[in-house]
Amino acid sequence: MKTSYLNMRNFWLDVTNLENRKGVIEIGPQGICVAGIEMAMQDGPDTKHLFLATNSLGDSSLYVENNSASGLGGVIGGQGQPDLQEAAAHMLAYAGKLAEQMTAMPTGNPLPPPSTEAYVRLFAVSKKQLFHVEFKEEDLRKPEHPFYPFFAYSQQTLGYFRKQQAQASAPSGHA
């Protein structure tokens, strides 16, 4: 993975970055403050990654590892975007409910990236632990899958980011 992508990924996976911010809410029995997904994608011979995270303050970020000079593209959202905030809040709520079914490790430990492009890594972060689980994307798309709501809301959140990006790049009609 490229350094800039790793830096942003590691920022979100370390909940201590939120400790001094007022309004952080701990969700569910495990006290989840951050939740998201990470996916691998093939880009020619290279594997690139997409990382989506949201926190209990209502902020969300989307990062895509790319071929730019920095190796990173991204969008920040949430504030003033009620649809995005609502989808992200639902994703966070399901992470709080499902954290106990994920693998737990102390925060600060490195989390490996998703194994292949067919898999999606779901994660949740509390002040003391990092929870993660990986499933085939095709399985997560089945409504009977226990992690389906978490995944479905992550996809809605991604959709709102795409919509936000499309609106930002649309011609304004001004000369």
Side-chain angles (χ1 to χ4, degrees):
M1 279 190 246
K2 296 189 177 175
T3 303
S4 350
Y5 177 86
L6 271 174
N7 289 341
M8 294 315 299
R9 179 185 191 267
N10 291 340
F11 173 85
W12 279 93
L13 294 175
D14 182 0
V15 79
T16 59
N17 291 311
L18 299 175
E19 285 181 341
N20 295 326
R21 294 185 61 190
K22 293 182 182 192
V24 173
I25 299 167
E26 296 181 27
I27 299 168
Q30 299 299 325
I32 301 304
C33 301
V34 174
I37 66 164
E38 186 174 25
M39 304 166 72
M41 307 164 287
Q42 279 307 120
D43 181 20
D46 299 325
T47 299
K48 302 287 174 63
H49 296 87
L50 174 144
F51 185 87
L52 168 70
T54 191
N55 65 42
S56 62
L57 294 168
D59 303 320
S60 298
S61 290
L62 171 64
Y63 301 103
V64 180
E65 191 176 24
N66 63 26
N67 295 324
S68 70
S70 70
L72 180 70
V75 185
I76 296 171
Q79 300 304 322
Q81 299 166 313
D83 291 341
L84 190 150
Q85 278 187 313
E86 183 177 342
H90 284 296
M91 180 177 63
L92 196 58
Y94 275 99
K97 291 177 186 176
L98 296 167
E100 292 176 338
Q101 297 176 42
M102 298 180 186
T103 301
M105 56 197 269
T107 55
N109 285 359
L111 179 65
S115 56
T116 70
E117 65 186 76
Y119 286 81
V120 176
R121 162 77 40 75
L122 305 170
F123 64 87
V125 186
S126 75
K127 290 184 178 179
K128 296 180 182 164
Q129 293 185 298
L130 171 61
F131 301 87
H132 64 95
V133 65
E134 188 173 288
F135 295 107
K136 284 187 172 183
E137 183 176 352
E138 68 185 53
D139 293 338
L140 282 170
R141 292 191 177 279
K142 297 175 183 172
E144 64 273 10
H145 194 285
F147 283 82
Y148 171 81
F150 185 156
F151 178 72
Y153 282 117
S154 77
Q155 298 309 289
Q156 278 188 10
T157 304
L158 281 170
Y160 289 120
F161 271 116
R162 286 186 196 114
K163 181 179 173 184
Q164 173 186 328
Q165 196 64 22
Q167 289 172 342
S169 62
S172 64
H174 294 94

